[in-house]
Amino acid sequence: METEIGLIGCGIWGRNILRDLIGLKQSVFVVDPSEENRIKALDMGATQVFASRPENFSPKGWVISTPAITHFEVLKDLVNDKVPIFVEKPLTCNLQEAEELLNIEGNQIYVMHNWLYHAGIRMLADLVKSGELGDLVFYKSNRCNWTSPRSDVDSVWTLIPHDITIAFCLLGYFPKPKAAVVEVYNGIQRGMTAFLGEEIPCVLEVSNRYADKRREVRLHFTKGVAVLKDEKVNYIEIFHGDDRSKPEEIRSEKRAFNTKSPLESELASFINYLNGGSPPLTDLAEGVEVIRTIDQLKKLANT
């Protein structure tokens, strides 16, 4: 079913969103102040483009892909339309702003955390629930690369929301922040190693000072270890054995999963919601918890 969707922002990531919405047979109206971006949007197949949000125009739903520091103001403007909104992570770059959004009566705001739609992450979550490898005792992730095209916020805001939401997906709750160490260059945070959790320790490392791109998620269980090497593989690797197993006894296997684009999957979930289906995975309250967690980690890093 073709649905009218408004897309605010058609930059680097906004173009990926536009591509997938068009691939899902939707009618997309793009709002972007950049003439270059508007021309590109039309070339890609946008139904219509605008330099600013037109008056008396309200699509069935909005998708926001503007710079993170603009999310709060854009959301405050769009909620007046009383239609569902899907906003790119991070929800905001300020806890006070995030909490203020919760007070807007009747808001229908959902947050785009595409790793929650990654089949490998869903497979890891199923492993945790099944108990096949025993109890989960440790979670670690690396999200590192070289520099960043985003200049509006520091790299911690850009990278660590993914790993916090993955932890929530795997554990079923947001682990409590315990400590954090940050890399600071010229007053800007370019990386963080964060320690969270009480019963199940979680270590999250993010940085834009790695020449090689890393996206590993690993789970240590009492009876084995499960690893998603990066976002490009189509399998999780499982190593069977406990902490006393001998090196020669190691037994490993690879379990394949569907490599359908997580972005396409989450946009399909939003379209389904607009047409009467279940809501996307991250509602506003959970989106605010992600911001609260980051806020606490940044404060811990400064103590």
Side-chain angles (χ1 to χ4, degrees), residues 5-35:
I5 296 177
L7 172 61
I8 309 289
C10 196
I12 296 173
W13 193 246
R15 293 177 187 181
N16 293 333
I17 293 172
L18 175 60
R19 175 202 64 207
D20 285 358
L21 285 173
I22 291 173
L24 291 165
K25 311 301 182 185
Q26 303 306 296
S27 179
V28 188
F29 296 78
V30 173
V31 179
D32 196 301
S34 164
E35 182 179 10

Side-chain angles (χ1 to χ4, degrees), residues 157-257:
W157 281 112
T158 300
L159 296 171
I160 210 166
H162 291 301
D163 300 287
I164 293 170
T165 53
I166 290 172
F168 174 73
C169 175
L170 299 175
L171 302 178
Y173 59 86
F174 287 99
K176 181 181 179 180
K178 307 293 285 185
V181 179
V182 290
E183 296 178 72
V184 180
Y185 297 86
N186 296 319
I188 301 174
Q189 293 181 359
R190 295 304 187 189
M192 173 184 283
T193 301
F195 304 88
L196 309 90
E198 294 179 326
E199 292 185 3
I200 302 175
C202 302
V203 180
L204 319 180
E205 181 188 15
V206 298
S207 175
N208 74 2
R209 301 294 290 160
Y210 279 61
D212 57 318
K213 186 175 181 180
R214 303 184 186 186
R215 294 290 186 270
E216 183 184 76
V217 175
R218 62 169 45 237
L219 303 181
H220 293 191
F221 298 86
T222 52
K223 298 179 181 178
V225 172
V227 180
L228 176 65
K229 184 179 179 181
D230 57 45
E231 81 276 25
K232 297 178 182 179
V233 299
N234 66 342
Y235 59 86
I236 61 170
E237 196 160 12
I238 298 176
F239 302 88
H240 295 270
D242 59 28
D243 59 301
R244 296 175 298 278
S245 297
K246 297 177 181 179
E248 62 271 18
E249 295 174 343
I250 190 169
R251 180 170 60 89
S252 66
E253 61 170 303
K254 292 180 179 179
R255 293 188 186 176
F257 54 76

Side-chain angles (χ1 to χ4, degrees), residues 85-141:
I85 303 170
F86 214 14
V87 58
E88 253 299 319
K89 63 82 194 164
L91 170 65
T92 65
C93 299
N94 178 293
L95 179 58
Q96 182 178 350
E97 291 179 347
E99 291 178 333
E100 186 175 328
L101 292 172
L102 282 173
N103 296 323
I104 298 177
E105 186 175 351
N107 78 76
Q108 300 179 65
I109 300 171
Y110 297 87
V111 186
M112 300 177 70
H113 288 295
N114 66 323
W115 277 86
L116 297 185
Y117 296 82
H118 191 286
I121 297 300
R122 308 307 300 181
M123 184 176 283
L124 289 176
D126 289 341
L127 265 181
V128 175
K129 293 176 183 176
S130 72
E132 177 186 345
L133 296 177
D135 297 329
L136 179 65
V137 296
F138 183 70
Y139 160 63
K140 189 175 190 296
S141 63

Side-chain angles (χ1 to χ4, degrees), residues 64 66-75 87-92:
I64 300 175
T66 60
I69 57 172
T70 69
H71 287 177
F72 178 66
E73 293 300 330
V74 174
L75 284 165
V87 58
E88 253 299 319
K89 63 82 194 164
L91 170 65
T92 65

